[in-house]
Amino acid sequence: MNRLMVVSNRLPFALDSAGEDLWTVTPATGGLVSAVEPVLRERGGTWIGWPGVVGEIPQEPLAEATRDAGYKVVPVALSETERDEFYYGYSNEVIWPLFHDLQNFCNFEPAYWQAYKQVNERYADAIVRCSQPDDFIWVHDYHLMYVAQALRERGLSQKVSRLTFFLHIPFPPYDIFAKLPQQQRLLRALLQFDLLGFQTRRDVRNFLQCVRRVMSGAKILSRREPQLIRFEDREIRVGHFPIGIDFDSFESGAKSDTVEQRAQRLRVTFPGCQLILGSDRLDYSKGIPERLRAFRTALERHPELRGRVVLIQIVVPSRVEIPKYHEFKERIDRLVGDINGRFSTSTWLPVQYHFRGLDREDLLAHYRGCDIAFVTPLKDGMNLVAKEYCASRIEEDGVLILSQFAGAAEQLRPDALLVNPYDIEQMADAILKAFRMSDAERSARMKRMRGVVRNENVFWWVDSFLKAGAKVSAQSVQVSNRLARGKRAIKRGAAAPHSKMQARKKDW
Ligand code: GDG
């Protein structure tokens, strides 16, 4: 197997200055790290990314933090301005909101694009420095969509056989994407990869629609997946690869004595109540205010729920330096205060709100201890919390209320209670339905969901992506040979390469 090189904006940990020459190392939270770290740890390779400090990277703490990682870590340095304009700016004030269909949250500041390109070039330089021929280069996520273009400008594509990309967040439909000032430049950059992976069929469909509308020189060669696009004498494969979780580690973690005890403690704290869990990074795409409003409506409309349900809402601090995130937190605080002020009694507080991350065992204890998971992002690439909840339900019970706009809905559709996260009343009714659901129905639904999450786990995800990537390289060789033959054929007046390409369509 070729060497695997993972490239992502952040490394799986962050270094923080704790005073002169003192550094702390904090493991990163978030979906990408949860999914990719166990894979690299198991098979080895290289991880290129930013360790979260601006300016010079302290070498000793970095070496200390990565000594037992099981893979090589290559840091990329960012200046304060680059962090502000590339990371907070283009990545998180333009692409993140736009790709989650939240265009009103976008700040299309023109200077951001230059910073985005510049930092992507820095990542490309790091790849050039440490890659070897035949490396499998796997670039992740929306921060680094320009990397392949920068690599091609540096001539690296001659050296590596697989230049691949996976987008963890959704890809928006054309009407939304068209708002992006750099729409054509961004699509051109994405088409410099050999394989483009998305979370769901929906995202593939949206991407192809944008390519069709924006890139007049691109031809979509096949109707079924894996889709094949021809662009400037190259062929690019496009497919959907729903990300999974390390099912066994969640299942065995949930079985541990410590988790069992903590889950038990959680349950006895709220006697006679069904526990509803919400757990998200602080992000406006996760639908937290809408969820709280739905909970409030459920208590208003369905008095039988009063005193018999508790919503445990965990909000993990994230991107708090961005002003929108700060305002957003205040909105959540106010809603929690309002619900508790209106409905609490001397023995019952309807919302338990934690603004902090939990350690892994506590998180598992919450998954095990809560009867209902309430996962209602406005839009989400996948949403791993939904899958982690299922994996941790070792008694095969529990109800999952899931947004129809989470990528996970494509896989868990029949058995999760699907809701529109903008429809407050529908979500309120889903709470009642979950609350009343019989044990037999809970168990039948959860068994099926666990089957899907177990089979389509993170290792299956990596395998299917790497397999598709392996085909890319074979395919690229065939294409370049064919193009070379085609050029000779044209000189001799034989069939044009274009018609040969079309004849191949049915192979896909
Ligand atoms: C992006 C996409 C896609 C949550 N609370 C705590 C905690 N977490 C962990 C969960 C989970 C991760 O954070 C969150 O993953 P999500 O998938 O829900 O969301 P994003 O961070 O937005 O991830 C997303 C994902 O990439 C993967 O492709 O699914 O759509 O947006 O793993 O367990 N972890 C700890 N304490 C907490 O309190 N330790």
Side-chain angles (χ1 to χ4, degrees), residues 31 34 168 199 243 281 286 316 358 380-384 388:
S34 314
H168 289 255
Q199 297 272 25
I243 197 167
R281 276 189 309 102
K286 300 293 182 184
V316 185
L358 304 181
D380 218 331
M382 177 55 59
N383 195 293
L384 298 183
E388 292 167 6

Side-chain angles (χ1 to χ4, degrees), residues 29-32 34-35 96 100 141 166 168-169 199 243 250 279-281 286 314 316 356-360 363 367 380-385 388:
T29 48
L32 189 158
S34 314
W96 176 273
H100 287 88
D141 228 359
F166 183 78
H168 289 255
I169 66 172
Q199 297 272 25
I243 197 167
F250 277 91
S279 176
D280 319 77
R281 276 189 309 102
K286 300 293 182 184
I314 297 156
V316 185
R356 62 186 156 82
L358 304 181
D359 67 29
R360 187 176 158 89
L363 184 67
Y367 288 151
D380 218 331
M382 177 55 59
N383 195 293
L384 298 183
V385 169
E388 292 167 6

Side-chain angles (χ1 to χ4, degrees), residues 54-172:
V54 288
E56 208 178 312
I57 296 166
Q59 291 307 314
E60 251 180 64
L62 183 81
E64 183 70 19
T66 58
R67 204 180 24 216
D68 300 324
Y71 47 87
K72 187 176 161 200
V73 169
V74 177
V76 174
L78 295 189
S79 71
E80 198 171 336
T81 313
E82 284 169 342
R83 181 203 55 189
D84 292 349
E85 298 191 346
F86 151 76
Y87 178 65
Y88 291 132
Y90 200 77
S91 303
N92 286 317
E93 285 187 23
V94 179
I95 298 296
W96 176 273
L98 191 74
F99 280 32
H100 287 88
D101 301 352
L102 298 166
Q103 67 209 52
N104 290 347
F105 284 75
C106 292
N107 172 9
F108 294 111
E109 164 58 48
Y112 289 169
W113 170 247
Q114 287 311 324
Y116 185 79
K117 268 175 54 180
Q118 188 180 313
V119 171
N120 273 245
E121 283 161 2
R122 177 96 35 85
Y123 278 84
D125 288 335
I127 298 172
V128 171
R129 268 200 310 279
C130 55
S131 63
Q132 295 172 4
D134 285 338
D135 276 353
F136 190 111
I137 297 183
W138 190 2
V139 180
H140 288 261
D141 228 359
Y142 63 103
H143 318 83
L144 299 179
M145 293 187 280
Y146 197 81
V147 163
Q149 171 132 3
L151 282 171
R152 292 199 188 275
E153 284 159 8
R154 283 157 178 71
L156 187 84
S157 50
Q158 320 298 324
K159 209 170 115 187
V160 296
S161 51
R162 300 162 181 90
L163 205 45
T164 67
F165 177 80
F166 183 78
L167 185 69
H168 289 255
I169 66 172
F171 198 90

